[in-house]
Amino acid sequence: MLVLGLETSCDETGVALYDSERGLLADALFSQIDLHRVYGGVVPELASRDHAKRMLPLIRQVLGDAGRVAGDIDAVAYTAGPGLVGALLVGACCAQALAFAWGIPALGVHHMEGHLLAPMLEAQPPRFPFVALLVSGGHTQLVRVDGIGQYQLLGESLDDAAGEAFDKTAKLMGLPYPGGPEIAHLAEQGEAGRFVFPRPMTDRPGLDFSFSGLKTFTLNTWQACQAAGDNGEQTRCDIALAFQQAVVDTLAIKCRRALKQTGLKHLVIAGGVSANQALRTALEGVTAALEGSVFYARPRFCTDNGAMIAYAGCQRLMAGQREGLGIHVQARWPMEQLPPV
């Protein structure tokens, strides 16, 4: 089955062609970072308009790169949620219009399921069951995964997601959008131990997260340094390192708990923050100590992309899932509501 995947949940337009027998044939991505940077964050209306502008040219590009034509496509998969409603509607309308014109089925895909399954695109994919850490700008969740659509939520952030905390912390320190990569870059030059930040909710049982207090702690530290006239580049680097270490340690502690609680040995990390090298290194240490393994997608498939949507949609389409011609998107959509495959 050849599936066209469309991703428009936020500020990146992703298109991909996935073949159930040959794997990923081609993919393309247009990022709106430059468009939104001047505003310090994503402007939903601008995101929607840019998706509408980019979608068809990207589809033509992917078809050309794969050496395929519209008549070769068996189905269209698109992101139906969660995400920005206007952005989701662009992808949904385009997918349904193409499916109607080409006489093929369309299927809405859960954005976070796409992220969760992105490591399946790699040469050595994980095997079920495993624990998944979904960590992005909008989500921080620990999930037990027994199969596609077989998800048990173990814990989640009670306030800011980890990626959101990275971006907000960067903004309050005067760093450009998106903040996560900026913090990670500065942390590479940071002096370990100069600042020590708390590891939120690690001193109590459970697998939930909280990052809003850590963001406030960072703000107070930065303001105190500024008041003392110590606001140079090295101080920024040292604070960035302390913040990143606190987030990474918190995630690692909770992942270790989740693995021990479930008795599973394998961990999948997915979502934009899974590209963070410090996090990958820490979780490799966690799983090695438990005689297990950690799996993640290559960096370009950690952030939003069409390949993960094409893959996830293909698995459900091959299992017989279909939907009508209606346009249905969901800004909020618990992953546990998905039917098993």
Side-chain angles (χ1 to χ4, degrees), residues 11 13 30-32 35-36 44-55 90:
D11 62 338
T13 313
F30 184 86
S31 175
Q32 301 176 7
L35 175 65
H36 299 287
E45 178 62 24
L46 295 181
S48 303
R49 293 182 182 186
D50 204 63
H51 284 311
K53 177 181 178 181
R54 308 292 177 181
M55 182 58 72
V90 174

Side-chain angles (χ1 to χ4, degrees), residues 43-93:
V43 180
E45 178 62 24
L46 295 181
S48 303
R49 293 182 182 186
D50 204 63
H51 284 311
K53 177 181 178 181
R54 308 292 177 181
M55 182 58 72
L56 291 181
L58 284 177
I59 292 174
R60 296 189 187 101
Q61 176 184 333
V62 167
L63 286 172
D65 291 345
R68 299 301 181 95
V69 296
D72 296 329
I73 298 173
D74 298 307
V76 184
Y78 64 95
T79 303
L84 303 175
V85 170
L88 293 169
L89 284 170
V90 174
C93 290

Side-chain angles (χ1 to χ4, degrees), residues 122-138:
E122 301 304 318
Q124 294 184 322
R127 294 182 178 180
F128 303 113
F130 54 77
V131 170
L133 172 65
L134 302 178
V135 57
S136 66

Side-chain angles (χ1 to χ4, degrees), residues 235-252:
T235 295
R236 287 179 188 265
C237 294
D238 296 343
I239 291 176
L241 176 60
F243 171 81
Q244 178 175 268
Q245 286 180 327
V247 173
V248 167
D249 286 352
T250 299
L251 293 172

Side-chain angles (χ1 to χ4, degrees), residues 1-6 15-20 25-26 55-56 58-64 66-78 94-95 97-107 310 313-314 317 322:
M1 174 176 278
L2 182 61
V3 178
L4 176 68
L6 310 179
V15 177
L17 272 177
Y18 182 83
D19 189 298
S20 58
L25 301 184
M55 182 58 72
L56 291 181
L58 284 177
I59 292 174
R60 296 189 187 101
Q61 176 184 333
V62 167
L63 286 172
R68 299 301 181 95
V69 296
D72 296 329
I73 298 173
D74 298 307
V76 184
Y78 64 95
C94 182
L98 292 175
F100 178 76
W102 296 339
I104 58 176
L107 183 68
C314 184
L317 286 158
R322 298 291 188 275

Side-chain angles (χ1 to χ4, degrees), residues 20 37 71 95 127 195 287:
S20 58
R37 180 175 282 128
R127 294 182 178 180
F195 298 103
T287 53

